[in-house]
Amino acid sequence: MSRPEKKSRFGKIARRSFLIGSAALVGGVAFGAWQVARPAPNPLIAGDGEAVFNPFVMISDKQITLIAPRSEMGQGVSTTWAALIAEELDVELDQVTVLHGPAAKAYYNSALVGEALPGKGYDRSAFQHRLGDTLGHLGRVLDMQMTGGSSSMKDGYHRMREAGASARETLKEAAARRFGIKREQLNTAKGKVIAPDGTEIAYGDLAREAADIAPIEADLRPASEWTLLGRNQPRIDMVEKVTGTAEFGIDVRLPGMKFASVKMNPNLGGAMTGYDSSEAEAIPGVERIIDLGGGVAVVANNTWIAMQALEAITFEWGDAPYPPETDRIFNTIVAAFDGEVNSTMRDDGDVDALPEGATLIDAEYSVPYLAHATMEPMNATALHDGDRLQVWCGNQAPTYARSKCAEAAGLDPDAVDFNVTYLGGGYGRRLEFDYAVIAAKVATAMQGTPIQVTWSREEDMRHDMFRPGAIARFKGAVRDGKALSLDGQIAAQSVIRSSLKRMMGIEGGGPDKVHVEGAYNQPYAIPNYRTRGYIAEMDLPVGSWRSVGNSFNGFFNESFIDEMAHAANQDPLDFRLELARAEWEPAAKVLETVRDMSSWTGKTSQGVGRGVAMSYSFGTPVAEVIEVIEEDGSIRISKAWIAADLGLALDPENIKAQLFGGMVYGLSAACFGEITFAGGAVEQGNFPDYDAIRMHTMPQTEVAILQVQEHMGGAGEPGTPPAAPALANALFDLTGKRPRRLPLMHDFDLLV
C-alpha cells in the first residue's frame, strides 16, 4: 500500500540521525534530573540521499521537508510553525514540504506544563517565566505532544528557530569543507549556500555531506533581519483546501477499505445489556456487526448502509451514572456551593468587610453544557495486519491516542503508526481518543482489512465530552464611582479531573486552577477581590472546549463588572479602563484601542446597543465591543471590534483570523448553544437544534493586533471569552434587560 510507504521515513530512531543538541530540544538539564532533561529520541529516519538534521528538518536532493507536529485545524499553525524553522534555515515557504510528522516524544509541547504554575499569569516575574520554561520539559516525560491551550507559538518560538539555525550552519559547514574555506565566509539565501565569489550550492546537493557532520548550534537572528516572521504569509494549506485535495480524516481512502459506523449507549457511560441485530444483518451490503461493549459497530460496503443498519438494531441500554434530567444535573451543581471550597485562587484584601456607604450588588449567572459541534464529525481509519496497527485521523494529542489505540489492539505503542490528518474542527474535542480507539477495536476484529469508522452527526453530538454547565454567584460593592470589592463563587464539574481520568487513568486532586480561570486572574485593580471554586461531582463526561474555564468565567466576570459599572453610575468602558490602568498596562491598551476603533462614547441612539468586555486568557488580553440593532422586530449583531495584545505577532493576518474565529465561536454559543438531557440522553442531535451564527447574521468586524506586553500570548482561544459578555452587555444597553443566563435565545428575539 502506498500510505505505509509514505510514512516509512518515520521510525523510532535513525542510526545516522542526530539532534540539534539537548540545549535546543529540552533547554538543558533541569535540577540535575536526567529523566526530565535528557534529549528525546529523533523519530526521523534518513532515506537514501537524505539528511536528517534534527526532529524538524530533513533535506534530500529532491526536497526540503519541515516537520510541524501541531494539529492543523484551520488555525494556520502549520504555516507559522514552518515559518519559524524556515526563517533561520533561510528558505522560502514555497520551497518546502511541510508534514505533521509521527507521534513522538520529540514533539512534546514545552509550553503547557509551565502554564499550570500558580499565579494570575500577567504578573509573573522573569524568574517565574524561566521556571515555567524549565518545567515545560516535563511534557516530554508525560508524552505531551498536544495542540491546545493556545500554546503552539509559545512552544515553538525558540525551539523551531534553533532547529532551522542548526541545520543552516551544518549545511554551511558541509559547503565550507567542499570549498576549503571557513564557514564564516559563506552566506545562505533561498535554500542555497553562497560562496564569496558568488558560487551557489543548493541545500539538496549538500545533504549527503551534511549528514556526516555533528550538529552545530547557532545564534538566532535578530528580529530586524526577519523576512518571514512578523509578516503575513500565504497559508501553505490554502491551495489544497480551495481545490478540495486536502486530506481530512474523513477523506482517507485505502485499497480494499470497508466502512463502518457506531451506535453507543445514549446514556453516557451506561452499559449495553443486549441487542437484536437480525434485521440489520439482512440488509444488503452489511458485512459484520461488532460488539464494542457499550454499543456496536456495523461494517458495510459504504457509510450510509452502515448508518441505516444501525437504525435497524434494537438495543437494551443501561442507565446513565449521572442525574438523568437537566434540572437534576443543575441541582447537583447548585449543591456544590454547600460543599467544600476547592480553590481560592485570589483573595486580595477583605471582601467580607462591608464598606460604609457603599452600594452592594449581587447576581447569579448560569451557562449550559455545550457540544463542540465540529464540522467534520468524529472519524478514524485503522488497519491491523496482525503485527502492527496503523491509524489515520485528525487528533490533537497523538501520543496519547496512539497509546490508547495500542491498548485496545493488544499491542505495544511502538507497534502503532498514528497518522494525523487535517482536522475539520477541533476546539478541544479532538484532544480525546474515543473515536480512534473504536476504529482500532473494529480493525482488530477485521484484521487485514482497512476500516473507516465515521460517526453520524447525531452520534457525534450526543457522545461529546461537553463543556460543563456552570453557575456563578457574585457579590460586589462600589462607592463614589469606584469598585471596592468583588467576590465570585463558581460551581461546575472539573474539566481537568474528568480529562485526567480518561487520558491517564488518575484522579485529579487539589485546587483546580482551570476551573476558575477567567475570573480569578483578571487584570483589574479591585482592592478586595476573591474568587472561589466549587467542584460538582458527577460522572457526566466533560472536556476542554475552546478557552476551557475562561469560556464561562469570562461571561460571569465581565457581566458582573458591567453591573458594577452601572451601579457606580460610570461608563462601562471607562470603569474597566481605570481598573486596568492601575493593574496592567497591556489590558488598558486593548481597552483604549477598542474604544478608539469603535468611536465609543458611552451613548447610543434609539434602536442601537453597545457592550464591551475585556478578558485575559492564555497570556493575551482581549477587548471586544459588540453593537446590536433592532431590525424588523428582531435583534441583529451588526458590528464588532476586537483588540488583542499578543506581545509578538508572528503572522498578523493569521492572528486576526483566529481572534475573529474565536469571537464567532463564542457568539454562536452565547446565542444558541445548549445541550440538555432527558432520561439520561442528550436531546440535541444536529444543527437544526444546535444552531450557530450564519453568514448573513455575521457582524462586520475590525481587528487590531498590539505588541505591547513583554511576553508572547496565545491566539486561538482568547477571542472567545469576551464575546458572550460583550454581546450580553450590548443587549442590556439596547433593552434595559440584564442577561444572566445563556443561551440568549431564551430571553431575546435574535435574528437567525
Side-chain angles (χ1 to χ4, degrees):
M1 293 183 180
S2 59
R3 288 181 186 279
E5 285 181 2
K6 180 178 179 182
K7 301 296 181 182
S8 65
R9 289 181 296 177
F10 302 147
K12 288 175 64 177
I13 185 166
R15 178 177 297 176
R16 293 285 302 277
S17 66
F18 48 83
L19 303 172
I20 312 167
S22 61
L25 269 180
V26 298
V29 177
F31 311 118
W34 173 245
Q35 177 65 14
V36 174
R38 66 183 181 183
N42 190 339
L44 306 183
I45 293 176
D48 185 39
E50 185 173 49
V52 173
F53 290 85
N54 47 62
F56 305 97
V57 182
M58 300 186 295
I59 298 177
S60 71
D61 55 358
K62 295 182 176 61
Q63 70 180 25
I64 300 169
T65 302
L66 307 183
I67 304 299
R70 295 295 172 262
S71 303
E72 179 59 72
M73 47 193 137
Q75 82 279 38
V77 65
S78 56
T79 300
T80 310
W81 189 283
L84 287 166
I85 305 172
E87 183 67 71
E88 291 290 344
L89 184 58
D90 235 351
V91 294
E92 301 295 326
L93 286 179
D94 60 8
Q95 293 180 280
V96 304
T97 298
V98 181
L99 301 178
H100 179 278
K105 282 184 179 293
Y107 302 132
Y108 70 93
N109 189 320
S110 66
L112 282 176
V113 175
E115 291 301 311
L117 285 172
K120 297 187 283 290
Y122 63 85
D123 61 347
R124 279 187 183 175
S125 65
F127 170 76
Q128 288 173 312
H129 278 283
R130 289 193 299 271
L131 178 60
D133 292 341
T134 301
L135 290 177
H137 307 309
L138 283 168
R140 184 198 60 77
V141 180
L142 299 172
D143 266 356
M144 291 181 66
Q145 182 183 353
M146 302 177 74
T147 307
S150 298
S151 62
S152 292
M153 292 306 108
K154 288 182 281 187
D155 169 38
Y157 178 60
H158 290 291
R159 287 201 297 162
M160 294 312 98
R161 290 188 298 140
E162 288 164 347
S166 175
R168 181 194 73 233
E169 292 305 305
T170 306
L171 288 160
K172 285 171 64 179
E173 180 62 26
R177 294 181 184 184
R178 184 186 292 189
F179 287 128
I181 62 177
K182 293 183 177 181
R183 173 164 48 95
E184 291 75 14
Q185 295 177 259
L186 299 172
N187 292 312
T188 55
K190 297 184 178 180
K192 298 177 182 179
V193 177
I194 306 168
D197 64 0
T199 302
E200 298 179 345
I201 307 177
Y203 285 172
D205 294 335
L206 293 164
R208 288 180 183 272
E209 296 155 79
D212 294 324
I213 300 173
I216 298 170
E217 297 190 13
D219 293 334
L220 299 177
R221 293 172 171 172
S224 59
E225 295 180 12
W226 288 350
T227 60
L228 298 175
L229 299 177
R231 293 169 169 78
N232 304 324
Q233 298 298 329
R235 290 275 295 269
I236 61 172
D237 54 343
M238 181 166 54
V239 173
E240 292 176 278
K241 291 180 176 177
V242 169
T243 59
T245 58
E247 185 178 72
F248 293 83
I250 208 166
D251 298 319
V252 171
R253 294 294 181 268
L254 296 171
M257 177 184 284
K258 299 299 181 181
F259 301 86
S261 193
V262 298
K263 185 176 286 291
M264 306 299 286
N265 190 336
N267 305 318
L268 308 175
M272 180 178 65
T273 57
Y275 68 95
D276 181 356
S277 60
S278 55
E279 289 187 24
E281 292 167 358
I283 296 175
V286 171
E287 300 206 0
R288 188 168 174 182
I289 296 172
I290 299 170
D291 189 334
L292 297 171
V296 302
V298 173
V299 181
N301 289 337
N302 62 55
T303 303
W304 179 246
I305 291 175
M307 289 181 177
Q308 293 303 299
L310 285 167
E311 296 304 312
I313 300 174
T314 56
F315 294 92
E316 296 175 16
W317 301 122
D319 293 337
Y322 49 84
E325 311 294 330
T326 302
D327 288 349
R328 291 176 59 187
I329 289 171
F330 273 84
N331 287 342
T332 303
I333 297 173
V334 170
F337 286 116
D338 297 325
E340 183 179 348
V341 175
N342 169 261
S343 71
T344 306
M345 298 299 295
R346 187 167 183 170
D347 193 3
D348 300 342
D350 184 359
V351 298
D352 294 320
L354 296 178
E356 184 178 347
T359 299
L360 305 181
I361 314 106
D362 66 88
E364 181 169 300
Y365 306 94
S366 66
V367 297
Y369 285 79
L370 294 175
H372 294 82
T374 61
M375 191 58 66
E376 178 192 20
M378 297 301 105
N379 67 86
T381 298
L383 171 61
H384 195 316
D385 66 7
D387 297 315
R388 297 191 65 82
L389 175 71
Q390 296 182 79
V391 181
W392 293 264
C393 67
N395 189 268
Q396 295 174 243
T399 45
Y400 286 134
R402 179 187 62 178
S403 294
K404 295 296 182 179
C405 288
E407 182 181 331
L411 297 171
D412 187 88
D414 288 340
V416 178
D417 297 320
F418 200 93
N419 307 291
V420 179
T421 64
Y422 286 131
L423 285 63
Y427 315 122
R429 176 61 178 96
R430 285 186 161 95
L431 282 167
E432 307 288 343
F433 48 78
D434 51 332
Y435 56 98
V437 167
I438 286 176
K441 289 180 177 180
V442 176
T444 301
M446 299 277 292
Q447 289 188 18
T449 301
I451 306 288
Q452 183 176 84
V453 183
T454 304
W455 296 21
S456 68
R457 174 66 63 192
E458 289 75 15
E459 193 73 9
D460 179 289
M461 191 165 288
R462 291 171 179 156
H463 293 81
D464 204 340
M465 311 298 171
F466 301 100
R467 199 288 302 273
I471 295 173
R473 295 172 175 172
F474 274 63
K475 295 180 180 179
V478 295
R479 185 179 61 200
D480 300 327
K482 308 288 185 183
L484 296 181
S485 69
L486 186 155
D487 186 13
Q489 300 179 79
I490 297 133
Q493 286 183 258
S494 168
V495 168
I496 294 299
R497 290 187 181 185
S498 185
S499 298
L500 284 176
K501 189 173 183 179
R502 284 192 303 274
M503 299 182 83
M504 298 183 180
I506 61 176
E507 298 283 349
D512 189 338
K513 175 182 175 181
V514 172
H515 186 68
V516 291
E517 64 183 1
Y520 84 91
N521 59 341
Q522 296 310 285
Y524 289 133
I526 300 174
N528 305 290
Y529 192 146
R530 182 172 66 187
T531 305
R532 290 172 286 175
Y534 300 80
I535 303 296
E537 300 289 354
M538 280 182 284
D539 286 329
L540 200 167
V542 295
S544 296
W545 187 95
R546 195 171 191 171
S547 76
V548 206
N550 298 281
S551 68
F552 49 82
N553 290 322
F555 172 67
F556 299 153
N557 212 69
E558 281 300 289
S559 293
F560 192 70
I561 289 288
D562 217 67
E563 295 204 40
M564 291 179 69
H566 285 278
N569 294 314
Q570 296 295 309
D571 174 81
L573 197 152
D574 291 341
F575 185 77
R576 289 173 170 83
L577 190 52
E578 182 177 347
L579 295 173
R581 280 175 176 155
E583 185 73 9
W584 192 46
E585 181 187 11
K589 289 295 184 183
V590 295
L591 283 165
E592 291 170 354
T593 302
V594 84
R595 175 197 64 194
D596 297 341
M597 291 165 65
S598 64
S599 300
W600 178 282
T601 63
K603 308 292 183 183
T604 51
S605 58
Q606 184 69 27
V608 177
R610 280 189 170 188
V612 63
M614 188 277 292
S615 293
Y616 169 81
S617 64
F618 305 98
T620 300
V622 180
E624 295 178 7
V625 168
I626 299 289
E627 180 178 282
V628 296
I629 59 173
E630 291 181 340
E631 185 176 278
D632 300 326
S634 295
I635 299 173
R636 170 191 285 276
I637 307 171
S638 60
K639 295 179 182 178
W641 296 267
I642 307 171
D645 182 1
L646 284 86
L648 177 62
L650 296 174
D651 189 330
E653 284 303 314
N654 187 52
I655 291 170
K656 288 181 181 180
Q658 290 190 65
L659 291 165
F660 175 75
M663 180 194 72
V664 173
Y665 199 68
L667 290 177
S668 291
C671 292
F672 310 115
E674 182 178 37
I675 291 294
T676 57
F677 298 84
V682 172
E683 295 185 286
Q684 292 70 29
N686 212 318
F687 289 116
D689 45 25
Y690 194 88
D691 213 340
I693 296 286
R694 307 298 182 91
M695 294 278 286
H696 69 281
T697 57
M698 279 295 302
Q700 296 179 2
T701 304
E702 182 181 349
V703 185
I705 306 299
L706 283 69
Q707 300 184 69
V708 175
Q709 65 164 314
E710 183 179 353
H711 298 282
M712 186 186 299
E717 296 166 274
T720 299
L727 175 57
N729 296 336
L731 290 170
F732 173 75
D733 185 47
L734 176 69
T735 67
K737 182 179 181 180
R738 174 63 68 180
R740 288 181 175 168
R741 66 169 180 166
L742 299 179
L744 297 164
M745 65 178 181
H746 292 316
D747 299 306
F748 299 90
D749 186 2
L750 303 173
L751 183 65
V752 277

